Amino acid sequence: EAQQALEDTFFYGPGSIVMAEERPQPACQPLPDHGDIMHLLKEALAVENHSEALLQLKRITGHWSRQFKTKQQVIVEAEQLLSLLMLSKHNNTAMVHRIRKLSKLDFAADIAEHVEACFSSMPVTNDSGIPDTTLHGRIVMQAVQFMTEHFTEAISLQQVADEVNVSRNYFSEMFKKVTGKNFIDYLIALRVNRAKELLAESTLRVYEVAEQSGFNDVKHFSKQFKKIVGLSPGEYHGQPHKPGGQANSGKQDTLSEQNPFS
């Protein structure tokens, strides 16, 4: 018991007196919201929201007590947190030395102070909460690439958000800001563009075009096609077309013009 109490000084600090009968039992399970907090921290770092990142960091270090963690868990978690900073575009080799310094710190409070100091040293380039357009652009570009490769499949907003490692709601807002379209409208436009190509270049029937374009309902396909193109699929199929599958009349889909990556 004395040996165990001595190990607990990692949490209580130097000069502390630990009574064996008062030692709290460590939690057997991780904190239920730990994953959510880490997710929010990564999102804040992705857009370089300095104040939000520091807020989420303090929520994590606030649980660095014997009630929730072991000494080894705290050290590993601290290394993971500092490793996140190495993903920043402002990262430099100094971060490697800061990670190594963890092994020289003897108490949880000192480790927490060190990690928070490293986060506080980040350049404050976007403390207003306004997303970094370059970083957002890269994330949405990755999402658009995934959608372009899989739009004929039954993909969802959640699936694409998971693909780019951000939350569903956060991705939805980010996608609309960057592309000017919400997710479902962009997905439908991709499918309609493909349908136009098939109608112009093949003799497939309307229901076959719908299936090969990613629509699982021919009525829904016809409705969306006419809404965007201005012609029904049958009318479009009977029109003379320019190279690239464009009819000489009717509305034209402007997806390529609104796509910031084309």
Side-chain angles (χ1 to χ4, degrees):
E1 289 179 344
Q3 180 61 38
Q4 291 173 345
L6 183 61
E7 293 176 358
D8 286 347
T9 59
F10 172 77
F11 294 103
Y12 299 119
S16 57
I17 298 176
V18 182
M19 306 299 293
E21 61 271 19
E22 296 177 359
R23 295 172 67 247
Q25 293 299 314
C28 297
Q29 299 295 330
L31 296 171
D33 61 345
H34 178 75
D36 294 335
I37 296 174
M38 285 294 290
H39 195 76
L40 291 172
L41 174 60
K42 291 177 181 179
E43 287 184 347
L45 288 173
V47 298
E48 299 195 341
N49 188 335
H50 180 273
S51 57
E52 178 66 18
L54 196 56
L55 174 64
Q56 299 305 329
L57 173 69
K58 287 182 179 293
R59 292 178 66 190
I60 293 173
T61 58
H63 290 131
W64 284 358
S65 66
R66 190 185 180 281
Q67 183 179 359
F68 301 109
K69 303 286 182 179
T70 65
K71 176 180 178 180
Q72 186 59 32
Q73 286 174 333
V74 169
I75 294 173
V76 169
E77 201 163 88
E79 291 174 348
Q80 291 173 342
L81 290 170
L82 291 183
S83 295
L84 288 178
L85 287 184
M86 297 185 72
L87 301 177
S88 169
K89 66 182 181 182
H90 299 291
N91 168 55
N92 53 53
T93 55
M95 193 56 61
V96 176
H97 299 294
R98 290 173 177 173
I99 293 177
R100 290 175 179 171
K101 185 179 178 180
L102 290 174
S103 61
K104 300 179 181 180
L105 301 175
D106 297 321
F107 305 106
D110 294 338
I111 292 177
E113 182 180 353
H114 175 65
V115 173
E116 291 173 12
C118 291
F119 271 69
S120 297
S121 68
M122 290 189 301
V124 184
T125 58
N126 187 31
D127 206 30
S128 63
I130 300 173
D132 182 299
T133 54
T134 302
L135 289 171
H136 268 197
R138 289 202 295 267
I139 293 172
V140 173
M141 181 171 63
Q142 181 183 349
V144 167
Q145 181 178 353
F146 179 82
M147 292 170 68
T148 302
E149 295 172 354
H150 299 277
F151 69 86
T152 58
E153 304 168 15
I155 58 175
S156 65
L157 175 64
Q158 183 65 64
Q159 182 181 355
V160 179
D162 291 342
E163 181 69 21
V164 295
N165 299 311
V166 295
S167 67
R168 183 177 184 273
N169 292 338
Y170 190 79
F171 171 70
S172 180
E173 295 178 6
M174 184 195 314
F175 191 88
K176 178 67 178 291
K177 288 179 181 178
V178 174
T179 66
K181 285 178 174 281
N182 61 40
F183 171 80
I184 190 63
D185 286 343
Y186 198 99
L187 180 60
I188 289 174
L190 284 172
R191 291 171 173 170
V192 168
N193 277 351
R194 177 57 177 159
K196 288 165 61 178
E197 293 175 358
L198 292 173
L199 288 169
E201 300 169 1
S202 72
T203 57
L204 294 174
R205 299 190 179 188
V206 171
Y207 76 89
E208 293 175 318
V209 170
E211 290 177 353
Q212 294 190 25
S213 301
F215 291 94
N216 56 13
D217 182 273
V218 68
K219 290 183 178 180
H220 177 64
F221 162 63
S222 297
K223 179 180 178 181
Q224 293 297 328
F225 191 94
K226 187 167 186 177
K227 177 181 176 181
I228 293 175
V229 181
L231 300 170
S232 70
E235 292 170 336
Y236 186 88
H237 186 64
Q239 292 283 325
H241 296 84
K242 299 176 182 178
Q246 292 186 347
N248 291 329
S249 62
K251 293 193 298 183
Q252 298 300 313
D253 177 38
T254 58
L255 178 61
S256 61
E257 296 175 5
Q258 295 188 13
N259 184 353
F261 314 114
S262 60

